[in-house]
C-alpha cells in the first residue's frame, strides 16, 4: 500500500480547481499505466488492482524525525483521502463531494454512493471509473513518455516498472 500527495497544497480560489484537476489527472494516468501493463504483459500484473482516494482541503505539513528526516502532511483531507481509497472499487477513484465539485471535463462515469467510513460514519462519496477510451488514450507510448517526464522521477519508474 502506498499513499502520496500529488497536487499543490493550495485550496484557495482559483487554485483549488487547478490542484484538484491535477490530482485527478495524475490518478487517471496511474490507472492508465496499470491498464497498459495489464494488457501488455498480463501474468502477475493482472493480479494488481489500484484504488485511489482523493480529498481536498487545508493541511499542515512539516518535517519529522531525529535521525532520519521525512516530510509529512496532517489534516482531515489526508485522513479522508485514505478512507476514500479504502472505499474505492478496484481500478477506480473515490472522492469526497467537495473534491468532485472542483472537477470538470472528465469523460468517465461519476457515481454517487453512501459508504460506511471508519471514524466518520455513513458518508456520501463519488466513485469515478475512467472511460475505456480515456485509459487507452492515456496509455499510448507518447503519452506514457509524457507522464514519465512530467509527473515522477525517472529512476522511480525504472525501479518500479522497469523502464
Amino acid at each position: 500500500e502506498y499513499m502520496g500527495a500529488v497536487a499543490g497544497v493550495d485550496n484557495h480560489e482559483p487554485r483549488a480547481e487547478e490542484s484538484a484537476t491535477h490530482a485527478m489527472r495524475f490518478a487517471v494516468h496511474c490507472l492508465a499505466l496499470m491498464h497498459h501493463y495489464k494488457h501488455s504483459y498480463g501474468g502477475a500484473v493482472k493480479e494488481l488492482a489500484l484504488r485511489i482516494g482523493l480529498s481536498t482541503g487545508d493541511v499542515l505539513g512539516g518535517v519529522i524525525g531525529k535521525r532520519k528526516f521525512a516530510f509529512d502532511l496532517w489534516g482531515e483531507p489526508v485522513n479522508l483521502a485514505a478512507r476514500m481509497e479504502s472505499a474505492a472499487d478496484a481500478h477506480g477513484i473515490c472522492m469526497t463531494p467537495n473534491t468532485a465539485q472542483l472537477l470538470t471535463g472528465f469523460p468517465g462515469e461519476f457515481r454517487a454512493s453512501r459508504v460506511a467510513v471508519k471514524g466518520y460514519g455513513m458518508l456520501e462519496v463519488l466513485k469515478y471509473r475512467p472511460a475505456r477510451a480515456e485509459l487507452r488514450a492515456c496509455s499510448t507510448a507518447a503519452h506514457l513518455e509524457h507522464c514519465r517526464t512530467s509527473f515522477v522521477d525517472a529512476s522511480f519508474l525504472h525501479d518500479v516498472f522497469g523502464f
Side-chain angles (χ1 to χ4, degrees):
E1 189 171 301
Y2 179 79
M3 183 173 172
V6 296
V9 287
D10 181 2
N11 199 36
H12 301 289
E13 297 298 330
R15 295 267 337 249
E17 289 86 1
E18 182 183 333
S19 293
T21 299
H22 182 77
M24 182 68 157
R25 282 190 185 140
F26 182 78
V28 170
H29 291 304
C30 290
L31 291 174
L33 189 61
M34 290 296 295
H35 177 80
H36 170 76
Y37 277 100
K38 194 171 156 184
H39 288 85
S40 297
Y41 299 104
V45 177
K46 288 188 180 198
E47 301 301 317
L48 292 176
L50 187 62
R51 297 177 308 164
I52 298 171
L54 297 177
S55 182
T56 54
D58 295 331
V59 296
L60 178 67
V63 177
I64 57 173
K66 289 185 178 183
R67 292 190 181 99
K68 184 176 179 184
F69 301 107
F71 183 80
D72 202 0
L73 294 174
W74 302 276
E76 188 174 10
V78 176
N79 297 334
L80 277 171
R83 302 298 186 228
M84 294 298 102
E85 179 269 329
S86 296
D89 299 328
H91 312 297
I93 302 167
C94 184
M95 67 196 74
T96 57
N98 66 323
T99 300
Q101 287 176 349
L102 297 170
L103 300 171
T104 58
F106 288 91
E109 173 190 352
F110 282 92
R111 185 173 34 92
S113 177
R114 287 189 60 81
V115 297
V117 178
K118 182 180 174 185
Y120 293 91
M122 293 299 288
L123 286 184
E124 181 84 17
V125 300
L126 281 103
K127 295 184 177 188
Y128 179 78
R129 181 164 308 261
R132 285 196 186 276
E134 185 179 12
L135 290 177
R136 281 193 298 273
C138 288
S139 64
T140 64
H143 193 79
L144 289 172
E145 178 62 18
H146 167 73
C147 292
R148 185 183 73 76
T149 58
S150 299
F151 292 116
V152 291
D153 181 89
S155 63
F156 168 78
L157 283 176
H158 183 270
D159 293 345
V160 175
F161 298 109
F163 70 87

